[in-house]
């Protein structure tokens, strides 16, 4: 498995052509588009000197003023990633073929770039020209009656990109553009018809035997996200921005830009991505793959249209989350975590469970995102050596203090998320009255007074009391101070559904009692955290215990 990946990564079996151009051009992301200026006859064939690719034409342009079959344009091209590629194009009256020669067998992405250069947009008879042709890749019909201008929304001089997967089995690739007798024949002049293409590129597509992550090219993702347009930003977390995008095959994706490159080499990174993307469950966000030819690595996920749970709970009321839905969300997160910890062939401790890492699909079922990300940044799987990957407010004490982590840190964070779902508020909110700022503290106060139901989100008109009480109880068990007191996720599932009774004693954790000494003096929290065993929810590196307050708000990331 590793061998295959390394082999393809190290091989340079890609090529790119700037069709009709008399000079090579370095396009985006270092793609070298080779020149392709040979004047092809009515039936001729040209192979480049390094014999990596060739081009052939069949067909004669009757009465065309010149027979060069190369079109030149100085028009400004809309929507182009590399506009120089559209200064020239190749055309053929019948069949235009490009070949890849001596390619390593395997799967490739073929990206074709078109723009209609032959017909003006003006309201003249010339604008009535219609170019229609078929596209075959390896002999398979990919587009019938392809019309560049139609694809561009009826506009000429507008770039259109098409990408296809092609399997090379005899070291040979054929891209065939074929005029099947459709469209106009005589606009602007007699004999002006047939396929036209401005540029193409062929790059190996990496697959893993287990997880099959796609390795996307940066150009592909750039196209998918409108050049990483700020309009497509879905949000920004500790790793960097997340963009919405759409792939040519119709898949809607979320592209996460990792602002820091991982310490790993590219092949190790791809291997890790392959591992993560092999973990599939209905309550886990699917990782499609990654991109490694960009400045910093990108991860490509399935897009979930109803956003993250924190948005739905704390920020807007667009989604109506009634109790039944919320209980299903709690169960779904528990199921996803059970799978990660206990069932998957690759056991993963998430380390950053929180409301923003729970996304909602069309039916509002929850999917956990960002699992396995920590693997891309740490070599060791049992102890964090470089820092804490986690978010303040969800950190289990043993993790915050001793950087000791097992799956019980996820159980802890799950408890916090469950309480947030019940209450509809975030774990820490400084604009609330003093006694309510810290959700766990407030919940414990009311729980001890046997008034637990008072923490329920006031927006919930009616709810199943048993379920709510079970959820609160489970949340309190999960957030016990000592990891040993917290049940494994499979037990949590059983407790939530009522298949198991809570028999464990739930005691108010010491870390909460110790908070309460602070008497409104927030610096106490941090200093005591360092000086004693007081299990505080804070992080070590960024906070200077002597000068800074513990900053019990927001999310933070470290060691990434
Ligand atoms: N697959 C996705 N589908 C839809 N929206 C997403 C997807 N992934 C992320 N988002 C949106 O982008 C936002 C930012 O995500 P990101 O994971 O970068 O940050 P975060 O979850 O707040 O913090 P962290 O970096 O710790 O995960 C999310 O809150 C969510 O709204
Ligand atoms: C390439 O074509 C351009 C424009 O047609 C021309 O100005 C230039 O001299 C040509 N270059 C070569 C190397 O032929
Ligand atoms: C014929 O070639 C010339 C340049 O050599 C170019 O300007 C003209 O557009 C070409 N005609 C067609 C129909 O492509
Ligand atoms: C894409 O974005 C880069 C950097 O922001 C910019 O330099 C480039 O011109 C953009 N390209 C297009 C086609 O918008
Ligand atoms: C290429 O893709 C096909 C179809 O997706 C798949 O069956 C095949 O295993 C892939 N081949 C390689 C070498 O990855
Ligand atoms: C999820 O979001 C989509 C798009 O915003 C919306 O059409 C749909 O109704 C939402 N689903 C629910 C259950 O609200
Ligand atoms: C914090 O509480 C205030 C007052 O109730 C509320 O307006 C705000 O949305 C809350 N913020 C979060 C993140 O829950
Ligand atoms: C908070 O505690 C610190 C250290 O114990 C002390 O120096 C400081 O004066 C206290 N601040 C307030 C407002 O009580
Ligand atoms: Mg996230």
């Amino acid at each position: 498995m590793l061998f295959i990946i390394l082999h393809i990564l190290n091989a340079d079996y890609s090529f790119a052509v700037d069709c009709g151009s008399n000079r090579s051009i370095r396009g985006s992301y270092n793609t070298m588009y080779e020149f392709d200026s040979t004047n092809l006859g009515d039936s001729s064939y040209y192979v480049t000197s390094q014999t990596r690719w060739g081009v052939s034409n069949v067909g004669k342009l009757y009465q065309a003023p010149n027979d060069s079959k190369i079109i030149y344009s100085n028009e400004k091209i809309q929507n182009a990633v590399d506009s120089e590629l559209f200064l020239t194009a190749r055309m053929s009256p019948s069949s235009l073929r490009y070949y890849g020669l001596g390619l390593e067998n395997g799967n490739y992405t073929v990206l074709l770039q078109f723009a209609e250069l032959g017909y003006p947009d003006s309201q003249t008879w010339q604008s009535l020209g219609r170019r229609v042709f078929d596209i075959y890749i390896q002999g398979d019909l990919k587009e019938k009656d392809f019309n560049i201008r139609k694809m561009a929304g009826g506009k000429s001089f507008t770039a259109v990109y098409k990408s296809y997967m092609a399997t090379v089995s005899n070291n040979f690739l054929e891209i065939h553009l074929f005029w099947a007798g459709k469209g106009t024949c005589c606009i602007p002049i007699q004999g002006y018809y047939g396929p036209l293409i401005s540029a193409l590129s062929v790059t190996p597509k990496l697959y893993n035997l287990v997880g099959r992550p796609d390795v996307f090219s940066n150009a592909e993702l750039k196209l998918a996200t409108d050049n990483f347009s700020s309009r497509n930003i879905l949000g920004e977390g500790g790793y960097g921005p997340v963009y919405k995008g759409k792939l040519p095959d119709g898949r809607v994706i979320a592209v996460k830009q990792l602002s820091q490159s991982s310490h790993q080499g590219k092949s190790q990174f791809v291997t890790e991505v392959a591992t993560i993307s092999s973990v599939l469950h209905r309550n886990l966000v699917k990782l499609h793959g990654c991109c490694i030819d960009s400045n910093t690595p990108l991860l490509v996920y399935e897009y979930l249209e109803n956003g993250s749970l924190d948005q739905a709970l704390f920020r807007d009321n667009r989604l109506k989350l009634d109790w039944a839905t919320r209980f299903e969300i709690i169960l779904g997160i528990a199921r996803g975590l059970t799978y990660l910890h206990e069932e998957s062939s690759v056991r993963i401790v998430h380390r950053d469970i929180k409301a923003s890492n729970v996304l909602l699909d069309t039916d509002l079922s929850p999917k956990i995102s960002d699992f396995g990300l920590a693997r891309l940044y740490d070599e060791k799987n049992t102890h964090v050596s470089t820092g804490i990957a986690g978010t303040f407010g969800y950190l289990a004490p043993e993790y915050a203090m001793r950087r000791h982590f097992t799956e019980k840190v996820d159980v802890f964070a799950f408890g916090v998320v469950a309480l947030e779902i019940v209450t509809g508020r975030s774990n820490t909110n400084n604009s609330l009255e003093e006694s309510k700022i810290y959700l766990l503290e407030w919940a414990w106060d009311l729980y001890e007074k046997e008034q637990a139901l008072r923490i329920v989100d006031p927006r919930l008109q009616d709810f199943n009391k048993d379920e709510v009480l079970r959820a609160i109880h489970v949340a309190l068990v999960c957030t016990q101070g000592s990891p040993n007191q917290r049940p494994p996720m499979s037990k949590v599932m059983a407790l939530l559904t009522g298949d198991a009774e809570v028999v464990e004693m739930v005691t108010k954790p010491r870390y909460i009692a110790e908070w309460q000494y602070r008497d409104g003096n927030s610096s106490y929290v941090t200093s005591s955290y360092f000086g004693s065993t007081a299990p505080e929810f804070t992080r070590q590196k960024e906070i200077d215990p002597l000068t800074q307050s513990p900053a019990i708000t927001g999310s933070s990331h470290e060691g990434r």
Side-chain angles (χ1 to χ4, degrees), residues 40-85:
L40 294 176
D42 299 338
S43 178
S44 62
Y45 190 104
Y46 170 76
V47 174
T48 56
S49 51
Q50 304 100 324
T51 58
R52 287 212 297 179
W53 60 273
V55 55
S56 81
N57 170 67
V58 174
K60 186 173 168 57
L61 284 168
Y62 290 98
Q63 295 179 36
N66 55 26
D67 197 25
S68 80
K69 304 182 188 75
I70 291 175
I71 302 187
Y72 303 87
S73 164
N74 284 320
E75 297 283 339
K76 186 170 159 35
I77 304 294
Q78 302 297 314
N79 199 28
V81 176
D82 294 307
S83 50
E84 302 125 283
L85 296 175

Side-chain angles (χ1 to χ4, degrees), residues 4 15-16 28 74 116-117 119 182 223 236 249 257-259 297 325 347 386 427 448 455-456 523 527-528 546 553 558:
I4 293 174
F15 67 89
S28 298
N74 284 320
E116 182 52 67
L117 305 178
Y119 314 119
K182 299 191 180 154
L223 290 175
E236 178 152 5
D249 65 12
Q257 200 165 39
L258 301 176
S259 52
T325 308
R347 303 294 157 93
T386 51
N427 63 76
E448 287 188 323
I455 66 167
V456 174
S523 62
S527 38
S528 73
L546 298 175
T553 50
E558 205 184 313

